Amino acid sequence: MGNGRPRTENTELQRLLEERTADLQRVKAEYDNYRKRVRRDRLAVREPPWPMC
């Protein structure tokens, strides 16, 4: 019951899939952190740390 691919090719494809998945997860985490940092910086620019009287 196979799909016609040698076992070593399936193993290689699985390794590549896992590598790409890890890359995607890392890039997503970096982007999420970037969005949070930009939002925090924008709020910091908008709101002074002391009362304006």
Side-chain angles (χ1 to χ4, degrees), residues 6-38:
R7 187 146 185 85
T8 56
E9 185 178 342
N10 285 338
T11 303
E12 177 68 11
L13 289 174
Q14 183 64 35
R15 186 191 67 77
L16 288 171
L17 175 63
E18 290 168 1
E19 184 179 316
R20 296 301 179 267
T21 300
D23 289 345
L24 179 60
Q25 289 170 340
R26 188 171 31 259
V27 169
K28 183 186 181 309
E30 289 174 0
Y31 181 68
D32 289 343
N33 290 335
Y34 165 78
R35 282 189 9 229
K36 290 174 188 175
R37 189 172 57 249
V38 167

